[in-house]
Amino acid sequence: MKITVSAPGKLMLFGEHTVVYGRPCIVTTVGQRMKVTVELLDKPLFQLNAPDVQIESYQKPITNLGKGDISKGVRFVEFAVKNFGIKKGGLKIITKSQFNSSFGFGSSSAATVCVIKALSELTGKKLSNKQIFDLSYKTVLDVQGKGSGFDVAAATYGGTLYFVTEGKTIKPLNLPSLPLIVGFTGIKADTVTIVNQVLEKAKKYPNIIENIYTAIQTIVALARKSLIKEDFQTVGELMNFNQGYLVALGVSSQKLDNMINLSKDAGAYGAKLSGAGVGDCMIALALPSKVKLVKNAITKAGGQIINVKTNVEGVRIEA
Ligand code: PMV
């Protein structure tokens, strides 16, 4: 028995970092998907091929899941299977991504969600989206120790979500596809390292950082309303405010700043980094008449344009 499922990548629109500390964020999904095929085996083996992260013919006894030295590319899938719990036989898993894992589109979380969904179907357990979210989020925490879970929610539910830490609130926002322009810095950011750097700042300057988080929370609340109204000028202005606070948190970089500033000079309503910062991607919002100019500006700043459709379907069965 075999099944293929897919889940979308994500882009953080508003509220990165603050969402780790009990506050809301807004995340959208992108058309590029992670695809995972899971096949039940008679023998008690765990086999994995993940060519996008250079994992070929990885194999171990299914009783050894989670044990030993496990490479980064294997961890999320292996812990997902361990947490789901397979009673008998084994599994052969193949992952294939439609996006580069350096983009910060959440490939690990999307793969985790796909594995849990596939196992839920293959074993006849038919977990709800909330159950898939909970088990996948537990897996992400087991592997990396930190994270708000927003990327897991995006991969599970799809669309554009208003999300509060640990999935305390997960509300879909009824929106059309957003006119976003995405630029990749070419640099892979390490989320946990950057989250820890912000934590250190918060220890030294608790009042300042708390005020920044509160300001970002206000921006998220306003952005939610403006997005629903499709008032993209205000959404862009709020992106600029959010970016200002991310700079204050110390998570932007010269490359991101250049890409963002040149986008605005080229006529974008607004632009900001998306995700942990330092590297990964930036996003800009612009009128259709300005898109070409903004794309050229991002390229001039050394960024790579990634064309995305936003606000797409969550985890689904492919075959
Ligand atoms: O896109 P990522 O996985 O780098 O996450 C960035 C968002 C953070 O708020 C910094 C972390 C999180 O888990 O919410």
Side-chain angles (χ1 to χ4, degrees):
M1 253 208 316
K2 182 164 142 176
I3 194 169
T4 299
V5 304
S6 76
K10 58 79 189 151
L11 279 170
M12 181 69 102
L13 297 179
F14 291 95
E16 48 272 270
H17 289 286
T18 50
V19 68
V20 181
Y21 310 103
R23 298 169 191 259
C25 73
I26 300 174
V27 57
T28 194
T29 40
V30 297
Q32 289 88 337
R33 302 180 77 86
M34 170 65 76
K35 281 196 181 172
V36 176
T37 300
V38 181
E39 188 178 350
L40 295 179
L41 302 175
D42 293 331
K43 42 195 186 216
L45 284 177
F46 170 69
Q47 298 180 331
L48 176 65
N49 279 304
D52 302 305
V53 285
Q54 290 80 47
I55 304 293
E56 301 281 352
S57 309
Y58 175 88
Q59 155 164 334
K60 76 198 302 187
I62 201 131
T63 44
N64 285 357
L65 289 178
K67 293 181 192 156
D69 190 18
I70 310 165
S71 77
K72 222 177 159 193
V74 174
R75 256 180 251 159
F76 289 88
V77 170
E78 182 164 332
F79 276 82
V81 174
K82 180 171 181 270
N83 285 339
F84 189 91
I86 292 295
K87 297 276 180 295
K88 62 178 197 309
L91 296 172
K92 179 178 177 182
I93 299 182
I94 301 167
T95 68
K96 189 86 197 72
S97 179
Q98 292 172 339
F99 55 89
N100 185 324
S101 64
S102 303
F103 290 173
F105 280 5
S107 52
S108 305
S109 295
T112 304
V113 167
C114 285
V115 171
I116 300 288
K117 171 77 174 175
L119 292 175
S120 141
E121 294 295 319
L122 282 174
T123 57
K125 277 196 181 164
K126 303 260 178 196
L127 301 182
S128 66
N129 274 349
K130 183 68 171 78
Q131 289 169 315
I132 291 172
F133 169 81
D134 287 341
L135 205 47
S136 304
Y137 181 43
K138 176 187 170 2
T139 302
V140 169
L141 287 183
D142 286 350
V143 174
Q144 66 178 31
K146 282 198 164 86
S148 63
F150 81 102
D151 42 2
V152 177
T156 307
Y157 294 87
T160 301
L161 303 173
Y162 175 86
F163 175 90
V164 180
T165 322
E166 297 173 350
K168 285 188 193 100
T169 306
I170 305 175
K171 283 226 166 79
L173 302 185
N174 203 356
L175 301 177
S177 186
L178 302 166
L180 276 190
I181 302 154
V182 182
F184 175 47
T185 57
I187 301 154
K188 169 93 196 102
D190 183 49
T191 306
V192 174
T193 306
I194 303 165
V195 167
N196 285 336
Q197 284 165 0
V198 174
L199 257 182
E200 286 308 308
K201 278 222 170 78
K203 274 189 206 149
K204 187 161 179 196
Y205 303 104
N207 293 339
I208 296 176
I209 301 293
E210 196 56 26
N211 281 328
I212 292 176
Y213 290 164
T214 303
I216 294 177
Q217 185 170 0
T218 307
I219 293 168
V220 171
L222 293 173
R224 180 185 185 176
K225 289 189 192 143
S226 311
L227 280 165
I228 291 169
K229 282 196 265 176
E230 293 179 45
D231 175 0
F232 293 132
Q233 177 162 353
T234 305
V235 173
E237 286 164 9
L238 292 167
M239 285 166 75
N240 294 338
F241 276 121
N242 197 160
Q243 174 62 16
Y245 286 111
L246 289 165
V247 170
L249 288 178
V251 299
S252 198
S253 66
Q254 193 154 25
K255 181 110 185 228
L256 280 165
D257 290 346
N258 286 342
M259 290 162 74
I260 290 163
N261 292 334
L262 289 190
S263 303
K264 290 193 289 184
D265 291 349
Y269 283 138
K272 64 182 277 295
L273 65 85
S274 173
V278 181
D280 289 354
C281 288
M282 52 72 69
I283 51 177
L285 197 65
L287 277 174
S289 59
K290 302 278 186 198
V291 167
K292 204 157 183 263
L293 287 171
V294 173
K295 283 185 175 175
N296 286 344
I298 293 171
T299 312
K300 205 171 142 215
Q304 179 196 332
I305 299 297
I306 304 166
N307 291 312
V308 299
K309 191 175 156 220
T310 60
N311 210 15
V312 306
E313 198 185 342
V315 70
R316 67 174 183 227
I317 298 165
E318 296 284 341

